Amino acid sequence: QVQLVESGGGLVQAGGSLRLSCAASGIMFEITTMGWYRQAPGKQRELVATITSSARTNYADSVKGRFTISRDNVKNTVYLQMSSLRPEDTAVYYCNTNLQNRNYWGQGTQVTVSS
């Protein structure tokens, strides 16, 4: 059974930093591409960043240079280090993986950036 459990969200002032974590189980983590998505109120869920099994990364233009995705294959955990946060980064952040054309999601963690 695939489980993705996010943690690390919270309230932060603009310009601050947060690190999100996503602990994965039920998958062969070391060979699996992982991703972070976010969904702001009234908006569609959007891709934030992905990381492949070989640690190749991809970022949305809106977060390039501010966010860093990384993974620890021993802990089966993917991270999202967020810096220089802006009010428009406020959203629920979701961990994601796609296995055999099926998307799996965590429960989400709220990130709120105050101005």
Side-chain angles (χ1 to χ4, degrees), residues 6 8 18 23-24 36 44 71 90 96 103:
E6 301 100 334
L18 280 175
W36 285 98
Q44 287 190 329
R71 64 191 298 154
T90 295
N96 167 271
N103 272 312

Side-chain angles (χ1 to χ4, degrees), residues 1-24:
Q1 182 180 359
V2 178
Q3 277 196 314
L4 303 173
V5 180
E6 301 100 334
S7 61
L11 173 64
V12 64
Q13 288 189 329
S17 299
L18 280 175
R19 189 177 80 157
L20 306 183
S21 300
C22 170

Side-chain angles (χ1 to χ4, degrees), residues 45-65:
R45 193 170 296 190
E46 63 176 2
L47 174 68
V48 175
T50 59
I51 185 166
T52 69
S53 57
S54 58
R56 180 174 296 180
T57 58
N58 179 57
Y59 296 94
D61 287 344
S62 59
V63 307
K64 280 181 182 176

Side-chain angles (χ1 to χ4, degrees), residues 96-111:
N96 167 271
T97 192
N98 185 288
L99 301 173
Q100 298 179 329
N101 292 319
R102 177 180 174 180
N103 272 312
Y104 293 87
W105 301 94
Q107 81 285 356
T109 186
Q110 176 71 46
V111 172

Side-chain angles (χ1 to χ4, degrees), residues 21-50:
S21 300
C22 170
S25 59
I27 62 175
M28 295 180 69
F29 182 83
E30 63 274 14
I31 63 170
T32 302
T33 293
M34 302 295 298
W36 285 98
Y37 286 70
R38 67 186 181 186
Q39 188 166 18
K43 295 188 176 181
Q44 287 190 329
R45 193 170 296 190
E46 63 176 2
L47 174 68
V48 175
T50 59

Side-chain angles (χ1 to χ4, degrees), residues 64-97:
K64 280 181 182 176
R66 301 188 298 122
F67 291 11
T68 302
I69 189 170
S70 62
R71 64 191 298 154
D72 184 331
N73 290 341
V74 174
K75 295 182 178 179
N76 285 5
T77 299
V78 60
Y79 302 99
L80 185 68
Q81 178 68 46
M82 305 184 294
S83 303
S84 301
L85 282 161
R86 305 167 180 170
E88 54 264 39
D89 294 317
T90 295
V92 178
Y93 283 71
Y94 296 92
C95 184
N96 167 271
T97 192

